[in-house]
Amino acid sequence: MAFTPESSPLLVDGGSRSTPAADERSQDHVRRLVKMAGVAALCVGAVVGVTSLLPTDHVNKTYARLQAKMGAAGRGGPQGATSMDSSYVHLTAKGVYGEVNAEHYPWVEGRKIVEPFKASTLSLGNLDDSIIEQAAVFVWSITESVSEQDVATQSESLVTYKRPVNEAEHPFGTPGTYLVGVKVLDDSGNSLLDFKTEVLCRYVKRELRTLTVEDREAFTSAAAVLWKVNQTEGQRKYGDSFTSIDEFVLEHAFSSTGDVNCDHWHEGTGFMAHHFALTVAFEESVRAVDPAVTIPYWDFTIEGEEITQAGGGPSMLATTSPFFNKDWFGSVDEDYHIQDSKFAHTKVVMLTDVKKMINGRTTKHLTNSYGIVTAPWNNNNDMEVARVMAGVCGQEPTNKQIPDCAAHHTLINETDLDKFMLLLPGVGHGPMHVNTGGVFGQCEEQFEDFYTTYHDYMAQNVTIGPSETVMDDDFEIPDYSTIDDDRTPIVDYTVYTKKELFREKMHLEFFHMYRMLWRSQTCARDGQALNLECPESCDLETDQSDCLCTCTGALDDSGDAAADFDWENIEPCLYASNKTQELMHTILSKDMRESMTRMVCTAGAKEGQQLESASPLDIVFWMIHPVLDRLATAKRLATGGAKIKFGEGMGHVAGFATEDWTEYSYYSTDDLKCPGHGRNDLVLSGIPMLEWIERSVPGGNANMTNWDFYAATDPLQFATVDYIYDGFTWDHCSAR
């Protein structure tokens, strides 16, 4: 038996970024969910924003006011907060995933979590047997709590259901705090119970594997719109909160390679704030398309751990992971193009197509020679996104293993915020970019020619160690004092061929070499930038071999190797560390090092977008950052006292003992400082972020600094972000 609400609509207060189109979509979701719930009709008023952006002490003060007002009216106080235990009547709230576990968020205070624009089934638990026997009607009332609003005036937002059973299904609206009341009446209309409590409406982020098919389709469909609709059309249709993927690519490219002397977002302490801000901006845009969607997270350490336990390498990712297929991110063909899924055949961004979005900024280093918005050294004229799975110039990047439990356990144990921010990019997710971006092109053949030329020399053995650290940067290069007369190492050293060491330390770091040759002010002996030069422009039809990036002076006017090329000037740029340089100088002759440098300087390499400034073009980019936010959230909750286990036998998540901000930028020559990496540098101006975050700073994201963003996303505080994570467990992790 279905009952209609006796009163009208869910109230949502004004003051948001909304449009009639967005309002209508929100109403459509409510209507659809009400129909699912079996409710015949619901008069839905204008949904124009979020009402519960409240100060951090709002919960207690509002709760006290409600208790006082309800008590004065003879209605009893709201129940279900911290003092409520299972021996008392309590509310249960279940969606398709069951009840939401929010145990580590202190501001929940025992209240139930419901999800926006999704049906929740409400019922009372622990009812007395006598009430159950006599109950004839359950009258459910639901209103949205508004700060400073008198309870009596909330009748305008009241929704009421009469049910003959202890259950009501209700589609909650926008995030906020809702008041739920239940009156239980007998056949004569006498009151058997008058129960009141608050519920908190929040988006819940879940791991990709746990999503229902319906939620997977809702997310991928809404996200795909950002790739299919341009900025102008998208904002007209979906409102000002919509940001197209072209705009995201431009913003990322400007901040990455727009300044050769400084990467404003990467390789420094600014990475975390900028990429978390970019993620919530992406979420805001996806929600503009479908307000019921939140961005899930991909815990790729599940794949990483499986690969590690199998003794495999990153080439296993494509088959181990359930996401590189038509249902999720898409698989790739022999040309490295995405061949299926909603993101199939994603097109690159041409500068000529986005000129209106430049807003007076210089585009000098924004594109390659073909006018494609990408890293300037990536002279690839392909008009589709490239995704090379686990390949660097024809070799599997075994030095970039998929992050596993041990990798994220390292981050979980770091107690200094600034160190955590520096470790997060590389340890947390860096190999995911390498293994879903990749390097390909002429460099594959050139490396093979190099190995063929020096075959006998490269086959020679080298004793080095200790063995477990050789492929890290802590290896030792032994001298004669560590070797017995019979040439046997005294300590635990391992024998490698020179080719094995060269492949690990040089070949597989090719993408690093290319960007360092471009940012050569940090490594070249002459201290000059742009020792890797690319043609100013080339027609799209021109083959890369005729539009080649080369090192300054590497070729003469006829295109042949220049005899007077000062290769030693830029040789230091080829090494990922001083230790690697020392090793190569030990095992390679000077002639070989010159040959290697000349080869790299004319290699004709191409990179997949995930390895460079246009990385937001690949949907995978947006999937590998939320898990980092989840790690940071767990650590911040632990800072507040939460006891969160990490796997089995691996201890607990460590909170931050210090939250200092050390400004650091790897590419900078200005005392390691670069705008974007400082505590008070702007985080993400011009692109709308989630509204609750923007409201925390006067002027919104136009004035928001890195530290403002960090404070505005504090999970310990009430009403900072409008989402929570479904839990903090690492069941796939255990001590080895």
Side-chain angles (χ1 to χ4, degrees), residues 142-197:
I142 302 171
T143 61
E144 184 164 9
S145 173
V146 182
S147 179
E148 305 299 336
Q149 178 176 314
D150 189 278
V151 173
T153 67
Q154 293 187 355
S155 60
E156 296 179 2
S157 66
L158 181 66
V159 175
T160 304
Y161 302 95
K162 288 182 179 179
R163 294 296 167 88
V165 294
N166 177 22
E167 187 175 282
E169 195 169 56
H170 180 70
F172 285 86
T174 52
T177 302
Y178 289 77
L179 306 179
V180 176
V182 188
K183 289 185 178 181
V184 184
L185 308 177
D186 63 16
D187 288 335
S188 301
N190 298 315
S191 177
L192 302 174
L193 177 70
D194 191 352
F195 175 90
K196 302 175 185 68
T197 190

Side-chain angles (χ1 to χ4, degrees), residues 51-287:
T51 61
S52 293
L53 186 72
L54 307 173
T56 55
D57 62 350
H58 162 72
V59 176
N60 294 333
K61 288 185 177 180
T62 300
Y63 197 70
R65 284 197 295 272
L66 291 172
Q67 284 181 315
K69 291 180 179 180
M70 288 181 174
R75 299 163 60 187
Q79 303 174 47
T82 307
S83 60
M84 180 61 64
D85 63 49
S86 60
S87 65
Y88 293 91
V89 175
H90 58 274
L91 181 74
T92 64
K94 296 182 179 180
V96 295
Y97 299 94
E99 285 203 282
V100 176
N101 176 12
E103 61 178 322
H104 297 302
Y105 291 86
W107 43 265
V108 172
E109 297 186 313
R111 293 168 290 186
K112 299 299 179 181
I113 300 290
V114 295
E115 298 182 56
F117 308 110
K118 294 180 181 293
S120 294
T121 300
L122 308 176
S123 61
L124 295 179
N126 208 41
L127 284 177
D128 186 82
D129 289 344
S130 63
I131 293 178
I132 295 174
E133 292 173 2
Q134 300 177 63
V137 178
F138 291 76
V139 182
W140 294 80
S141 60
I142 302 171
T143 61
E144 184 164 9
S145 173
V146 182
S147 179
E148 305 299 336
Q149 178 176 314
D150 189 278
V151 173
T153 67
Q154 293 187 355
S155 60
E156 296 179 2
S157 66
L158 181 66
V159 175
T160 304
Y161 302 95
K162 288 182 179 179
R163 294 296 167 88
V165 294
N166 177 22
E167 187 175 282
E169 195 169 56
H170 180 70
F172 285 86
T174 52
T177 302
Y178 289 77
L179 306 179
V180 176
V182 188
K183 289 185 178 181
V184 184
L185 308 177
D186 63 16
D187 288 335
S188 301
N190 298 315
S191 177
L192 302 174
L193 177 70
D194 191 352
F195 175 90
K196 302 175 185 68
T197 190
E198 290 181 332
V199 298
L200 305 175
C201 187
R202 298 290 189 274
Y203 290 95
V204 180
K205 294 185 175 293
R206 296 182 170 87
E207 212 277 334
L208 292 175
R209 273 161 268 253
T210 68
L211 295 186
T212 64
V213 172
E214 292 75 17
D215 280 352
R216 180 196 72 200
E217 287 301 300
F219 163 65
T220 55
S221 296
V225 172
L226 277 61
W227 274 258
K228 293 177 171 63
V229 179
N230 64 36
Q231 185 80 352
T232 302
E233 181 186 352
Q235 292 200 340
R236 178 186 59 77
K237 187 173 183 179
Y238 301 109
D240 292 342
S241 292
F242 179 87
T243 302
S244 70
I245 205 65
D246 291 356
E247 176 68 16
F248 281 120
V249 170
L250 275 177
E251 193 67 28
H252 191 267
F254 271 120
S255 298
S256 301
T257 61
D259 181 355
V260 69
N261 293 304
C262 171
D263 186 323
H264 300 282
W265 281 10
H266 302 89
E267 303 292 347
T269 41
F271 168 87
M272 186 177 83
H274 293 302
H275 285 76
F276 288 5
L278 203 65
T279 300
V280 296
F282 181 73
E283 172 133 355
E284 178 76 351
S285 186
V286 171
R287 285 193 205 168

Side-chain angles (χ1 to χ4, degrees), residues 337-575:
H337 296 156
I338 304 171
Q339 64 182 345
D340 46 28
S341 82
K342 297 180 179 67
F343 307 96
H345 304 292
T346 295
K347 301 298 183 184
V348 297
V349 178
M350 298 297 299
L351 184 62
T352 53
D353 294 335
V354 292
K355 282 188 173 180
K356 292 182 179 178
M357 302 158 69
I358 299 301
N359 297 324
R361 293 175 286 186
T362 178
T363 60
K364 184 176 181 181
H365 302 305
L366 195 67
T367 72
N368 65 10
S369 301
Y370 297 101
I372 298 172
V373 178
T374 190
W377 59 82
N378 186 19
N379 253 8
N380 184 2
N381 61 346
D382 197 330
M383 295 302 290
E384 289 190 26
V385 164
R387 183 196 292 164
V388 181
M389 299 298 294
V392 174
C393 296
Q395 294 286 314
E396 179 185 12
T398 51
N399 64 339
K400 298 291 186 291
Q401 291 286 351
I402 305 302
D404 56 10
C405 293
H408 280 198
H409 188 245
T410 299
L411 295 169
I412 283 298
N413 283 324
E414 180 52 60
T415 57
D416 295 328
L417 174 62
D418 50 3
K419 293 179 182 177
F420 176 80
M421 291 192 298
L422 287 173
L423 287 171
L424 190 66
V427 175
H429 87 309
M432 297 302 292
H433 280 282
V434 177
N435 287 297
T436 58
V439 187
F440 62 106
Q442 296 176 22
C443 64
E444 299 178 19
E445 182 179 343
Q446 289 184 316
F447 269 107
E448 285 305 313
D449 289 344
F450 184 83
Y451 291 135
T452 299
T453 300
Y454 297 102
H455 176 271
D456 292 344
Y457 189 88
M458 298 293 268
Q460 295 176 8
N461 290 335
V462 176
T463 303
I464 194 171
S467 58
E468 68 272 13
T469 62
V470 168
M471 296 314 178
D472 298 327
D473 236 13
D474 298 325
F475 60 84
E476 298 176 20
I477 302 173
D479 56 29
Y480 288 110
S481 64
T482 64
I483 299 177
D484 288 337
D485 292 339
D486 61 358
R487 316 308 294 166
T488 301
I490 296 173
V491 294
D492 181 23
Y493 286 97
T494 303
V495 175
Y496 296 92
T497 65
K498 291 182 176 181
K499 181 179 179 179
E500 288 174 326
L501 292 173
F502 180 85
R503 174 186 174 278
E504 192 83 5
K505 296 295 183 180
M506 303 302 297
H507 187 148
L508 297 181
E509 292 290 339
F510 189 87
F511 63 93
H512 168 82
M513 300 179 196
Y514 241 41
R515 69 180 62 175
M516 293 309 295
L517 286 170
W518 190 74
R519 295 189 190 274
S520 53
Q521 75 277 2
T522 64
C523 51
R525 292 180 178 180
D526 63 7
Q528 297 300 306
L530 300 174
N531 265 289
L532 184 70
E533 298 177 322
C534 303
E536 186 172 341
S537 65
C538 298
D539 294 333
L540 283 170
E541 294 75 21
T542 303
D543 188 78
Q544 189 198 41
S545 60
D546 296 318
C547 188
L548 201 63
C549 297
T550 60
C551 296
T552 304
L555 301 178
D556 59 25
D557 293 340
S558 61
D560 297 323
D564 58 350
F565 174 43
D566 185 9
W567 64 272
E568 290 181 288
N569 174 54
I570 50 94
E571 184 200 3
C573 298
L574 307 187
Y575 304 120

